[in-house]
Amino acid sequence: MGKSNSSLRSRWTALDIVRGLTIALMILVNHPGDWGNLYAPLAHAEWHGATPTDFIFPFFLFIVGVSIVLAFSRVLAKGVPAKSLYPKIGKRTFLLFVFGVGMGLMIHLLFGPDFRWVGVLQRIAVVYLVCSILFLNTSWKTQLITCVVLLVGYWLFLGFVPVPGTGSTGFAWEDNWASWFDRQYLPGALYQKVHDPEGLLSTLPAIGTGISGMLAGHLYLHLHDHHKLLRYFAGVGLGLVALGLLWDLHFPFNKNLWSSSYVVYTSGWAMLFLAGVTWLVDIRGWKWGVRPCLVFGANAITVYLLAFVLTFPFALPLFGAEHSIQGWVLGELRNLPLNPKQVSLLWAVLYLAICYIPMDILYRKRIFFKV
């Protein structure tokens, strides 16, 4: 029929698979051959709305929250005092933040735009730090209340408190509290000039995404029957999706603002997706095609950094003033019977495959870099 829950609880393979799939999709989306030729599902919504690509980052933060509960619970169960975990939390937060800043610095030095202090890794660092402290010092009920307060408070603040200078309220491009806050207090350049998708104020509801993953982790640890676990995941996930759709009517899905409805909606889908993979892999024993996801998931941050670093030798002009490795490959691909969007996507797939090779070697040698 399937594995017992004791086996399921010892190693949640589905979690590793979803983590790896998420990071692989991040790389696929971040490294197209031509930004001017993207399939709509592989592009972010310009403002309101949510494309499949807009699910990737919240899925990863959701997995961060789940992983915090599982990893720290195992350590605490061995009698390790909670206070001894703080140096590890601080080190990991610091490294994630420094790597993120380092990525921004490389872009600044090589391409010359104004330096940007925030980014994906910096947001992961903050969410990891806050959620870790919450887990070690509060119960799941307090974590749930914190999540609700963050999301409802963010909605009320953006939706009903007038923005300085304009007196307007709401979620319009540029004229909203998150954008105003970034322009006033965020040092360095903003990714979108008047707004930053990884800005200061919008990090608060992103913490809510991490907490939603923590709550899923609590469910996993405390529901001993795997069929009951999946029923809870399905029920809660569907409830969150429905709530997100209702909330979207007043606070639209918006990745740039990390709107509260977006948090609830994407967390619901993350729970449903995780439940589906758990049923397929951990319970039914499905093995075909899962290895690449496990490979990426085992060194998720490492492959994310590798994909970024490889951008430079591939994209910088090495063959004369205008030609690069990427440009040469794209030129060859354009000779194939493919349209421009297919060429752009094929480059992204080839780039992902290149990133996979060293990760597979590390996986075979059981080498895992824990950032």
Side-chain angles (χ1 to χ4, degrees):
M1 181 67 180
K3 298 180 181 180
S4 68
N5 204 44
S6 59
S7 174
L8 192 157
R9 285 160 61 88
S10 63
R11 188 67 193 180
W12 197 0
T13 306
L15 187 68
D16 299 327
I17 290 173
V18 175
R19 182 190 297 111
L21 179 61
T22 302
I23 208 72
L25 290 173
M26 275 190 185
I27 295 170
L28 189 72
V29 167
N30 288 345
H31 300 278
D34 181 0
W35 284 101
N37 285 288
L38 298 177
Y39 285 104
L42 296 178
H44 291 291
E46 290 187 10
W47 192 242
H48 293 327
T51 71
T53 295
D54 292 319
F55 283 72
I56 297 173
F57 195 11
F59 269 41
F60 192 85
L61 291 183
F62 181 91
I63 295 301
V64 168
V66 177
S67 300
I68 286 171
V69 173
L70 269 59
F72 289 169
S73 293
R74 293 191 188 105
V75 173
L76 294 175
K78 297 176 182 177
V80 176
K83 64 181 181 180
S84 67
L85 296 175
Y86 286 109
K88 178 181 178 181
I89 293 169
K91 178 183 176 182
R92 190 176 194 196
T93 300
F94 175 77
L95 287 175
L96 285 169
F97 200 89
V98 167
F99 285 143
V101 171
M103 290 170 65
L105 184 60
M106 287 181 66
I107 294 172
H108 171 64
L109 293 176
L110 290 171
F111 298 107
D114 293 333
F115 178 64
R116 181 171 174 246
W117 278 96
V118 294
V120 169
L121 291 184
Q122 295 93 313
R123 174 160 286 183
I124 294 174
V126 173
V127 171
Y128 171 77
L129 174 64
V130 175
C131 288
S132 296
I133 293 173
L134 274 173
F135 175 77
L136 294 177
N137 293 278
T138 64
S139 67
W140 71 267
K141 292 181 180 179
T142 302
Q143 293 158 26
L144 174 60
I145 293 171
T146 301
C147 185
V148 171
V149 169
L150 281 174
L151 298 184
V152 173
Y154 187 66
W155 166 52
L156 294 175
F157 187 61
L158 265 66
F160 299 97
V161 178
V163 177
T166 65
S168 61
T169 58
F171 325 108
W173 170 263
E174 183 177 352
D175 195 12
N176 63 79
W177 263 106
S179 300
W180 181 89
F181 205 85
D182 288 344
R183 293 194 299 273
Q184 295 295 317
Y185 300 110
L186 183 59
L190 303 183
Y191 185 75
Q192 294 170 322
K193 307 303 180 185
V194 297
H195 174 84
D196 199 292
E198 281 82 48
L200 298 174
L201 201 61
S202 60
T203 297
L204 294 176
I207 292 170
T209 300
I211 296 175
S212 71
M214 291 171 62
L215 296 172
H218 285 297
L219 279 175
Y220 174 80
L221 288 180
H222 292 94
L223 294 176
H224 292 195
D225 178 82
H226 58 258
H227 294 292
K228 188 175 182 180
L229 171 72
L230 294 187
R231 287 197 298 270
Y232 266 77
F233 269 31
V236 174
L238 287 171
L240 290 175
V241 169
L243 177 59
L245 288 169
L246 288 174
W247 211 343
D248 173 61
L249 298 175
H250 188 273
F251 194 178
F253 300 145
N254 191 306
K255 179 186 178 296
N256 287 275
L257 295 176
W258 212 275
S259 61
S260 302
S261 61
Y262 172 73
V263 172
V264 173
Y265 186 66
T266 54
S267 294
W269 278 114
M271 187 169 286
L272 289 172
F273 188 73
L274 185 57
V277 178
T278 299
W279 176 83
L280 185 65
V281 175
D282 288 292
I283 295 175
R284 303 299 298 178
W286 181 275
K287 298 184 185 302
W288 186 85
V290 303
R291 179 183 170 84
C293 294
L294 291 173
V295 168
F296 281 124
N299 282 295
I301 299 299
T302 302
V303 71
Y304 183 83
L305 291 170
L306 174 67
F308 172 79
V309 172
L310 286 180
T311 300
F312 299 100
F314 276 98
L316 289 175
L318 301 178
F319 305 125
E322 298 179 356
H323 298 287
S324 64
I325 296 175
Q326 181 176 342
W328 175 78
V329 173
L330 285 172
E332 295 299 314
L333 292 177
R334 291 187 181 105
N335 293 326
L336 299 174
L338 301 172
N339 65 46
K341 290 185 178 181
Q342 291 170 334
V343 169
S344 181
L345 177 59
L346 183 55
W347 165 262
V349 173
L350 290 173
Y351 192 80
L352 182 63
I354 291 169
C355 293
Y356 176 81
I357 294 171
M359 294 301 106
D360 187 70
I361 294 172
L362 292 177
Y363 189 80
R364 291 175 185 273
K365 294 180 178 295
R366 314 306 294 172
I367 299 173
F368 309 114
F369 294 104
K370 300 297 182 183
V371 178

